[in-house]
Amino acid sequence: MISLVVPAYNEEAGIEELYRRVCSAAPAWNDDWELLVVDDGSSDRTLEILERLATTDARLKVVALSRNFGHQPAVSAGLQHASGSIVCVLDADLQDPPEALLPFIQKVRDGMDVVYAIRTHRKEGPFKRMAYHVYYRLLKRLATLDIPLDAGDFCVMRGEVVQAINQLPERNRFIRGLRTWVGYQQTGLAYERAARYAGEPKYTLRSLFKLASDGIINFSYRPLQAIMLLGFMVGVAAIAMGLIFLAQYIWDFPIMGYKPREARGWTSLILVLLFSSAVQLFCIGILGEYIGRLFEETKRRPIYLVKRRIGVGKPEELTGT
Ligand code: UDP
Ligand code: MG
């Protein structure tokens, strides 16, 4: 069976059209299907429309969240309720048209585990386009993982991969990162992202920023490492400067026409200052390393995932799954 996971927040203007478009695109897939819409606490008639449609069609399934939790939590809820052996994630606004799914499904049937969509053209304004462009490149440089460029959440996955993602216990979920993290055979397929069918974008600038920082912070250690490196570098510089000022005091030579013995107390003062700041910066660097590790541990991701076992069974004590 094919599951279509669709998060919807205040999409009353387009949700029925989505259902119709899925119904008309579905025969090409040659399989049973379910359309699993996660209503993310909509305050408009979205849920009402879904309830009405669901009474006449058992293939439409609805999970209604108790309030607006955001796009990524809504997708997570959908992935946990999907039962298909092939799972597609798409937006409710028809920016990822159901008709475009066929080649993705085909690739999964041919053996791929994840086929994600690479956006070639965006229909957003130039500012947003540029922000996305810069962000994805920044993420690629910072992330310790090779998260593909310009790939959104629109994708088709094999059921096993969805189960692997569902098992990851971290709470700030950046789905496209987790999807990359679980591994398996992944490939991208280019597609042209359509304009929104109806309504306004539901992502606010703030929620986009949260998404962007989740992406970088959950998948990168580099900002912390940069602070550590800076701390050590400045610490070493502080010690070197301290030695120079000490030598200057002992042998009484001028630096830029200035002799420390003429201003009593200056050398001892600057030495104390440099020494204490060097100690602090070193210590912050060490703390950074521990915090980074604590963070890795609190995410509680498995250490590894096994794709296949040949000749050995599952070990009793599981360290990975
Ligand atoms: N969405 C959601 N909860 C939210 C915000 C968005 O479920 O808090 C859904 C929304 O209904 C849509 C999808 O997530 O189906 C993508 O949202 P949007 O179109 O605003 O994002 P964009 O296409 O601009 O990235
Ligand atoms: Mg959209």
Side-chain angles (χ1 to χ4, degrees), residues 7-35:
Y9 175 53
N10 291 348
E11 300 282 5
E12 61 178 3
I15 199 75
E16 195 158 358
E17 175 69 9
L18 172 83
Y19 167 72
R20 267 198 298 274
R21 293 266 294 272
V22 169
C23 288
S24 70
W29 307 332
N30 261 329
D31 204 346
D32 289 340
W33 57 273
E34 62 175 3
L35 173 60

PDB file of all heavy atoms in Angstrom, residues 7-35:
ATOM      1  N   PRO A   7       0.609  17.156   5.937  1.00  0.00           N
ATOM      2  CA  PRO A   7       0.314  18.053   7.051  1.00  0.00           C
ATOM      3  C   PRO A   7      -0.525  19.215   6.539  1.00  0.00           C
ATOM      4  O   PRO A   7      -0.264  19.730   5.452  1.00  0.00           O
ATOM      5  CB  PRO A   7       1.691  18.549   7.480  1.00  0.00           C
ATOM      6  CG  PRO A   7       2.502  18.515   6.233  1.00  0.00           C
ATOM      7  CD  PRO A   7       1.955  17.388   5.385  1.00  0.00           C
ATOM      8  N   ALA A   8      -1.542  19.588   7.278  1.00  0.00           N
ATOM      9  CA  ALA A   8      -2.388  20.689   6.812  1.00  0.00           C
ATOM     10  C   ALA A   8      -2.720  21.621   7.970  1.00  0.00           C
ATOM     11  O   ALA A   8      -3.180  21.182   9.020  1.00  0.00           O
ATOM     12  CB  ALA A   8      -3.672  20.146   6.203  1.00  0.00           C
ATOM     13  N   TYR A   9      -2.472  22.876   7.765  1.00  0.00           N
ATOM     14  CA  TYR A   9      -2.805  23.872   8.776  1.00  0.00           C
ATOM     15  C   TYR A   9      -3.564  25.000   8.096  1.00  0.00           C
ATOM     16  O   TYR A   9      -3.022  25.674   7.225  1.00  0.00           O
ATOM     17  CB  TYR A   9      -1.530  24.391   9.437  1.00  0.00           C
ATOM     18  CG  TYR A   9      -1.752  25.508  10.423  1.00  0.00           C
ATOM     19  CD1 TYR A   9      -2.669  25.359  11.456  1.00  0.00           C
ATOM     20  CD2 TYR A   9      -1.041  26.684  10.321  1.00  0.00           C
ATOM     21  CE1 TYR A   9      -2.871  26.377  12.356  1.00  0.00           C
ATOM     22  CE2 TYR A   9      -1.238  27.716  11.221  1.00  0.00           C
ATOM     23  CZ  TYR A   9      -2.154  27.557  12.232  1.00  0.00           C
ATOM     24  OH  TYR A   9      -2.359  28.569  13.119  1.00  0.00           O
ATOM     25  N   ASN A  10      -4.812  25.164   8.446  1.00  0.00           N
ATOM     26  CA  ASN A  10      -5.672  26.186   7.836  1.00  0.00           C
ATOM     27  C   ASN A  10      -5.642  26.142   6.312  1.00  0.00           C
ATOM     28  O   ASN A  10      -5.317  27.121   5.671  1.00  0.00           O
ATOM     29  CB  ASN A  10      -5.278  27.578   8.326  1.00  0.00           C
ATOM     30  CG  ASN A  10      -5.621  27.767   9.799  1.00  0.00           C
ATOM     31  OD1 ASN A  10      -6.338  26.949  10.375  1.00  0.00           O
ATOM     32  ND2 ASN A  10      -5.114  28.829  10.382  1.00  0.00           N
ATOM     33  N   GLU A  11      -5.954  24.983   5.773  1.00  0.00           N
ATOM     34  CA  GLU A  11      -5.905  24.828   4.318  1.00  0.00           C
ATOM     35  C   GLU A  11      -7.304  24.608   3.742  1.00  0.00           C
ATOM     36  O   GLU A  11      -7.486  23.872   2.792  1.00  0.00           O
ATOM     37  CB  GLU A  11      -5.001  23.629   3.948  1.00  0.00           C
ATOM     38  CG  GLU A  11      -3.567  23.738   4.400  1.00  0.00           C
ATOM     39  CD  GLU A  11      -2.714  24.657   3.531  1.00  0.00           C
ATOM     40  OE1 GLU A  11      -3.265  25.292   2.601  1.00  0.00           O
ATOM     41  OE2 GLU A  11      -1.512  24.751   3.801  1.00  0.00           O
ATOM     42  N   GLU A  12      -8.334  25.236   4.337  1.00  0.00           N
ATOM     43  CA  GLU A  12      -9.709  24.993   3.893  1.00  0.00           C
ATOM     44  C   GLU A  12      -9.898  25.274   2.405  1.00  0.00           C
ATOM     45  O   GLU A  12     -10.689  24.641   1.749  1.00  0.00           O
ATOM     46  CB  GLU A  12     -10.708  25.819   4.720  1.00  0.00           C
ATOM     47  CG  GLU A  12     -10.492  27.312   4.591  1.00  0.00           C
ATOM     48  CD  GLU A  12     -11.515  28.148   5.372  1.00  0.00           C
ATOM     49  OE1 GLU A  12     -12.356  27.560   6.057  1.00  0.00           O
ATOM     50  OE2 GLU A  12     -11.449  29.377   5.269  1.00  0.00           O
ATOM     51  N   ALA A  13      -9.146  26.231   1.878  1.00  0.00           N
ATOM     52  CA  ALA A  13      -9.347  26.624   0.484  1.00  0.00           C
ATOM     53  C   ALA A  13      -8.828  25.582  -0.498  1.00  0.00           C
ATOM     54  O   ALA A  13      -9.242  25.555  -1.659  1.00  0.00           O
ATOM     55  CB  ALA A  13      -8.668  27.970   0.219  1.00  0.00           C
ATOM     56  N   GLY A  14      -7.927  24.716  -0.059  1.00  0.00           N
ATOM     57  CA  GLY A  14      -7.322  23.813  -1.034  1.00  0.00           C
ATOM     58  C   GLY A  14      -7.433  22.342  -0.719  1.00  0.00           C
ATOM     59  O   GLY A  14      -7.112  21.491  -1.541  1.00  0.00           O
ATOM     60  N   ILE A  15      -7.927  22.021   0.485  1.00  0.00           N
ATOM     61  CA  ILE A  15      -7.824  20.634   0.933  1.00  0.00           C
ATOM     62  C   ILE A  15      -8.701  19.691   0.112  1.00  0.00           C
ATOM     63  O   ILE A  15      -8.325  18.555  -0.186  1.00  0.00           O
ATOM     64  CB  ILE A  15      -8.121  20.534   2.450  1.00  0.00           C
ATOM     65  CG1 ILE A  15      -7.573  19.230   3.019  1.00  0.00           C
ATOM     66  CG2 ILE A  15      -9.587  20.680   2.769  1.00  0.00           C
ATOM     67  CD1 ILE A  15      -6.090  19.219   3.180  1.00  0.00           C
ATOM     68  N   GLU A  16      -9.866  20.175  -0.291  1.00  0.00           N
ATOM     69  CA  GLU A  16     -10.759  19.317  -1.071  1.00  0.00           C
ATOM     70  C   GLU A  16     -10.171  19.071  -2.460  1.00  0.00           C
ATOM     71  O   GLU A  16     -10.236  17.964  -2.990  1.00  0.00           O
ATOM     72  CB  GLU A  16     -12.145  19.965  -1.171  1.00  0.00           C
ATOM     73  CG  GLU A  16     -13.181  18.977  -1.649  1.00  0.00           C
ATOM     74  CD  GLU A  16     -14.607  19.366  -1.273  1.00  0.00           C
ATOM     75  OE1 GLU A  16     -14.787  20.413  -0.597  1.00  0.00           O
ATOM     76  OE2 GLU A  16     -15.521  18.641  -1.665  1.00  0.00           O
ATOM     77  N   GLU A  17      -9.570  20.127  -3.005  1.00  0.00           N
ATOM     78  CA  GLU A  17      -8.906  19.994  -4.297  1.00  0.00           C
ATOM     79  C   GLU A  17      -7.761  18.984  -4.200  1.00  0.00           C
ATOM     80  O   GLU A  17      -7.555  18.178  -5.108  1.00  0.00           O
ATOM     81  CB  GLU A  17      -8.377  21.371  -4.744  1.00  0.00           C
ATOM     82  CG  GLU A  17      -7.562  21.373  -6.024  1.00  0.00           C
ATOM     83  CD  GLU A  17      -8.373  21.062  -7.284  1.00  0.00           C
ATOM     84  OE1 GLU A  17      -9.614  21.007  -7.181  1.00  0.00           O
ATOM     85  OE2 GLU A  17      -7.748  20.850  -8.343  1.00  0.00           O
ATOM     86  N   LEU A  18      -7.056  19.004  -3.093  1.00  0.00           N
ATOM     87  CA  LEU A  18      -5.974  18.036  -2.890  1.00  0.00           C
ATOM     88  C   LEU A  18      -6.532  16.613  -2.945  1.00  0.00           C
ATOM     89  O   LEU A  18      -6.004  15.753  -3.648  1.00  0.00           O
ATOM     90  CB  LEU A  18      -5.291  18.263  -1.537  1.00  0.00           C
ATOM     91  CG  LEU A  18      -4.289  17.170  -1.165  1.00  0.00           C
ATOM     92  CD1 LEU A  18      -2.941  17.407  -1.821  1.00  0.00           C
ATOM     93  CD2 LEU A  18      -4.125  17.035   0.328  1.00  0.00           C
ATOM     94  N   TYR A  19      -7.625  16.393  -2.215  1.00  0.00           N
ATOM     95  CA  TYR A  19      -8.243  15.072  -2.187  1.00  0.00           C
ATOM     96  C   TYR A  19      -8.644  14.645  -3.608  1.00  0.00           C
ATOM     97  O   TYR A  19      -8.384  13.526  -4.040  1.00  0.00           O
ATOM     98  CB  TYR A  19      -9.453  15.101  -1.251  1.00  0.00           C
ATOM     99  CG  TYR A  19     -10.348  13.900  -1.364  1.00  0.00           C
ATOM    100  CD1 TYR A  19      -9.948  12.663  -0.882  1.00  0.00           C
ATOM    101  CD2 TYR A  19     -11.601  14.011  -1.972  1.00  0.00           C
ATOM    102  CE1 TYR A  19     -10.767  11.563  -0.997  1.00  0.00           C
ATOM    103  CE2 TYR A  19     -12.421  12.910  -2.094  1.00  0.00           C
ATOM    104  CZ  TYR A  19     -12.009  11.683  -1.615  1.00  0.00           C
ATOM    105  OH  TYR A  19     -12.822  10.598  -1.737  1.00  0.00           O
ATOM    106  N   ARG A  20      -9.272  15.576  -4.339  1.00  0.00           N
ATOM    107  CA  ARG A  20      -9.685  15.250  -5.714  1.00  0.00           C
ATOM    108  C   ARG A  20      -8.493  14.919  -6.595  1.00  0.00           C
ATOM    109  O   ARG A  20      -8.510  13.953  -7.351  1.00  0.00           O
ATOM    110  CB  ARG A  20     -10.447  16.438  -6.317  1.00  0.00           C
ATOM    111  CG  ARG A  20     -11.944  16.340  -6.123  1.00  0.00           C
ATOM    112  CD  ARG A  20     -12.664  17.262  -7.096  1.00  0.00           C
ATOM    113  NE  ARG A  20     -12.316  18.659  -6.871  1.00  0.00           N
ATOM    114  CZ  ARG A  20     -12.936  19.439  -5.983  1.00  0.00           C
ATOM    115  NH1 ARG A  20     -13.930  18.961  -5.282  1.00  0.00           N
ATOM    116  NH2 ARG A  20     -12.566  20.691  -5.820  1.00  0.00           N
ATOM    117  N   ARG A  21      -7.439  15.732  -6.469  1.00  0.00           N
ATOM    118  CA  ARG A  21      -6.252  15.509  -7.309  1.00  0.00           C
ATOM    119  C   ARG A  21      -5.582  14.185  -6.970  1.00  0.00           C
ATOM    120  O   ARG A  21      -5.081  13.489  -7.864  1.00  0.00           O
ATOM    121  CB  ARG A  21      -5.262  16.668  -7.131  1.00  0.00           C
ATOM    122  CG  ARG A  21      -5.775  18.007  -7.670  1.00  0.00           C
ATOM    123  CD  ARG A  21      -5.313  18.257  -9.085  1.00  0.00           C
ATOM    124  NE  ARG A  21      -3.871  18.425  -9.158  1.00  0.00           N
ATOM    125  CZ  ARG A  21      -3.247  19.590  -9.008  1.00  0.00           C
ATOM    126  NH1 ARG A  21      -3.932  20.691  -8.762  1.00  0.00           N
ATOM    127  NH2 ARG A  21      -1.937  19.660  -9.129  1.00  0.00           N
ATOM    128  N   VAL A  22      -5.574  13.826  -5.700  1.00  0.00           N
ATOM    129  CA  VAL A  22      -4.993  12.543  -5.315  1.00  0.00           C
ATOM    130  C   VAL A  22      -5.821  11.407  -5.913  1.00  0.00           C
ATOM    131  O   VAL A  22      -5.278  10.472  -6.501  1.00  0.00           O
ATOM    132  CB  VAL A  22      -4.904  12.404  -3.776  1.00  0.00           C
ATOM    133  CG1 VAL A  22      -4.564  10.978  -3.378  1.00  0.00           C
ATOM    134  CG2 VAL A  22      -3.859  13.361  -3.225  1.00  0.00           C
ATOM    135  N   CYS A  23      -7.162  11.526  -5.807  1.00  0.00           N
ATOM    136  CA  CYS A  23      -8.030  10.486  -6.374  1.00  0.00           C
ATOM    137  C   CYS A  23      -7.791  10.320  -7.862  1.00  0.00           C
ATOM    138  O   CYS A  23      -7.816   9.205  -8.373  1.00  0.00           O
ATOM    139  CB  CYS A  23      -9.502  10.824  -6.127  1.00  0.00           C
ATOM    140  SG  CYS A  23      -9.982  10.615  -4.427  1.00  0.00           S
ATOM    141  N   SER A  24      -7.569  11.421  -8.564  1.00  0.00           N
ATOM    142  CA  SER A  24      -7.428  11.278 -10.012  1.00  0.00           C
ATOM    143  C   SER A  24      -6.011  10.848 -10.395  1.00  0.00           C
ATOM    144  O   SER A  24      -5.808  10.268 -11.451  1.00  0.00           O
ATOM    145  CB  SER A  24      -7.840  12.571 -10.738  1.00  0.00           C
ATOM    146  OG  SER A  24      -6.894  13.567 -10.479  1.00  0.00           O
ATOM    147  N   ALA A  25      -5.038  11.116  -9.537  1.00  0.00           N
ATOM    148  CA  ALA A  25      -3.666  10.692  -9.868  1.00  0.00           C
ATOM    149  C   ALA A  25      -3.414   9.243  -9.465  1.00  0.00           C
ATOM    150  O   ALA A  25      -2.552   8.570 -10.024  1.00  0.00           O
ATOM    151  CB  ALA A  25      -2.650  11.604  -9.182  1.00  0.00           C
ATOM    152  N   ALA A  26      -4.204   8.762  -8.479  1.00  0.00           N
ATOM    153  CA  ALA A  26      -3.910   7.466  -7.866  1.00  0.00           C
ATOM    154  C   ALA A  26      -3.945   6.256  -8.812  1.00  0.00           C
ATOM    155  O   ALA A  26      -3.115   5.359  -8.663  1.00  0.00           O
ATOM    156  CB  ALA A  26      -4.847   7.238  -6.682  1.00  0.00           C
ATOM    157  N   PRO A  27      -4.887   6.174  -9.775  1.00  0.00           N
ATOM    158  CA  PRO A  27      -4.919   4.972 -10.617  1.00  0.00           C
ATOM    159  C   PRO A  27      -3.576   4.658 -11.279  1.00  0.00           C
ATOM    160  O   PRO A  27      -3.238   3.488 -11.481  1.00  0.00           O
ATOM    161  CB  PRO A  27      -5.978   5.306 -11.676  1.00  0.00           C
ATOM    162  CG  PRO A  27      -6.878   6.280 -11.008  1.00  0.00           C
ATOM    163  CD  PRO A  27      -6.005   7.084 -10.096  1.00  0.00           C
ATOM    164  N   ALA A  28      -2.784   5.683 -11.567  1.00  0.00           N
ATOM    165  CA  ALA A  28      -1.490   5.463 -12.227  1.00  0.00           C
ATOM    166  C   ALA A  28      -0.516   4.702 -11.332  1.00  0.00           C
ATOM    167  O   ALA A  28       0.462   4.140 -11.814  1.00  0.00           O
ATOM    168  CB  ALA A  28      -0.872   6.810 -12.620  1.00  0.00           C
ATOM    169  N   TRP A  29      -0.770   4.696 -10.016  1.00  0.00           N
ATOM    170  CA  TRP A  29       0.190   4.049  -9.110  1.00  0.00           C
ATOM    171  C   TRP A  29      -0.010   2.545  -9.036  1.00  0.00           C
ATOM    172  O   TRP A  29       0.866   1.840  -8.541  1.00  0.00           O
ATOM    173  CB  TRP A  29       0.077   4.639  -7.697  1.00  0.00           C
ATOM    174  CG  TRP A  29       0.186   6.117  -7.657  1.00  0.00           C
ATOM    175  CD1 TRP A  29       0.866   6.892  -8.552  1.00  0.00           C
ATOM    176  CD2 TRP A  29      -0.396   7.020  -6.709  1.00  0.00           C
ATOM    177  NE1 TRP A  29       0.743   8.220  -8.219  1.00  0.00           N
ATOM    178  CE2 TRP A  29      -0.020   8.323  -7.092  1.00  0.00           C
ATOM    179  CE3 TRP A  29      -1.190   6.846  -5.581  1.00  0.00           C
ATOM    180  CZ2 TRP A  29      -0.432   9.451  -6.383  1.00  0.00           C
ATOM    181  CZ3 TRP A  29      -1.582   7.956  -4.871  1.00  0.00           C
ATOM    182  CH2 TRP A  29      -1.211   9.256  -5.275  1.00  0.00           C
ATOM    183  N   ASN A  30      -1.207   2.076  -9.478  1.00  0.00           N
ATOM    184  CA  ASN A  30      -1.446   0.637  -9.507  1.00  0.00           C
ATOM    185  C   ASN A  30      -1.304  -0.035  -8.160  1.00  0.00           C
ATOM    186  O   ASN A  30      -0.672  -1.074  -8.046  1.00  0.00           O
ATOM    187  CB  ASN A  30      -0.426  -0.018 -10.456  1.00  0.00           C
ATOM    188  CG  ASN A  30      -1.078  -0.270 -11.792  1.00  0.00           C
ATOM    189  OD1 ASN A  30      -2.283  -0.519 -11.840  1.00  0.00           O
ATOM    190  ND2 ASN A  30      -0.292  -0.183 -12.848  1.00  0.00           N
ATOM    191  N   ASP A  31      -1.838   0.564  -7.151  1.00  0.00           N
ATOM    192  CA  ASP A  31      -1.670   0.006  -5.813  1.00  0.00           C
ATOM    193  C   ASP A  31      -2.783   0.555  -4.930  1.00  0.00           C
ATOM    194  O   ASP A  31      -3.420   1.545  -5.276  1.00  0.00           O
ATOM    195  CB  ASP A  31      -0.297   0.421  -5.253  1.00  0.00           C
ATOM    196  CG  ASP A  31       0.192  -0.545  -4.181  1.00  0.00           C
ATOM    197  OD1 ASP A  31      -0.615  -1.359  -3.685  1.00  0.00           O
ATOM    198  OD2 ASP A  31       1.387  -0.474  -3.847  1.00  0.00           O
ATOM    199  N   ASP A  32      -2.991  -0.104  -3.784  1.00  0.00           N
ATOM    200  CA  ASP A  32      -3.894   0.480  -2.798  1.00  0.00           C
ATOM    201  C   ASP A  32      -3.238   1.726  -2.242  1.00  0.00           C
ATOM    202  O   ASP A  32      -2.021   1.835  -2.248  1.00  0.00           O
ATOM    203  CB  ASP A  32      -4.114  -0.496  -1.624  1.00  0.00           C
ATOM    204  CG  ASP A  32      -4.951  -1.679  -2.064  1.00  0.00           C
ATOM    205  OD1 ASP A  32      -5.652  -1.545  -3.090  1.00  0.00           O
ATOM    206  OD2 ASP A  32      -4.861  -2.730  -1.404  1.00  0.00           O
ATOM    207  N   TRP A  33      -4.054   2.643  -1.769  1.00  0.00           N
ATOM    208  CA  TRP A  33      -3.440   3.841  -1.187  1.00  0.00           C
ATOM    209  C   TRP A  33      -4.283   4.371  -0.050  1.00  0.00           C
ATOM    210  O   TRP A  33      -5.461   4.046   0.093  1.00  0.00           O
ATOM    211  CB  TRP A  33      -3.230   4.920  -2.251  1.00  0.00           C
ATOM    212  CG  TRP A  33      -4.481   5.331  -2.975  1.00  0.00           C
ATOM    213  CD1 TRP A  33      -5.000   4.735  -4.091  1.00  0.00           C
ATOM    214  CD2 TRP A  33      -5.367   6.408  -2.649  1.00  0.00           C
ATOM    215  NE1 TRP A  33      -6.156   5.365  -4.477  1.00  0.00           N
ATOM    216  CE2 TRP A  33      -6.404   6.401  -3.609  1.00  0.00           C
ATOM    217  CE3 TRP A  33      -5.389   7.379  -1.651  1.00  0.00           C
ATOM    218  CZ2 TRP A  33      -7.443   7.323  -3.590  1.00  0.00           C
ATOM    219  CZ3 TRP A  33      -6.434   8.304  -1.634  1.00  0.00           C
ATOM    220  CH2 TRP A  33      -7.448   8.260  -2.611  1.00  0.00           C
ATOM    221  N   GLU A  34      -3.643   5.172   0.790  1.00  0.00           N
ATOM    222  CA  GLU A  34      -4.369   5.909   1.813  1.00  0.00           C
ATOM    223  C   GLU A  34      -3.852   7.341   1.791  1.00  0.00           C
ATOM    224  O   GLU A  34      -2.684   7.587   1.513  1.00  0.00           O
ATOM    225  CB  GLU A  34      -4.154   5.297   3.218  1.00  0.00           C
ATOM    226  CG  GLU A  34      -2.722   5.330   3.690  1.00  0.00           C
ATOM    227  CD  GLU A  34      -2.516   4.833   5.122  1.00  0.00           C
ATOM    228  OE1 GLU A  34      -3.483   4.396   5.758  1.00  0.00           O
ATOM    229  OE2 GLU A  34      -1.361   4.886   5.593  1.00  0.00           O
ATOM    230  N   LEU A  35      -4.758   8.258   2.031  1.00  0.00           N
ATOM    231  CA  LEU A  35      -4.362   9.663   2.136  1.00  0.00           C
ATOM    232  C   LEU A  35      -4.501  10.022   3.609  1.00  0.00           C
ATOM    233  O   LEU A  35      -5.599  10.048   4.145  1.00  0.00           O
ATOM    234  CB  LEU A  35      -5.273  10.539   1.267  1.00  0.00           C
ATOM    235  CG  LEU A  35      -5.103  12.052   1.404  1.00  0.00           C
ATOM    236  CD1 LEU A  35      -3.707  12.489   1.041  1.00  0.00           C
ATOM    237  CD2 LEU A  35      -6.118  12.772   0.509  1.00  0.00           C
TER     238      LEU A  35
END
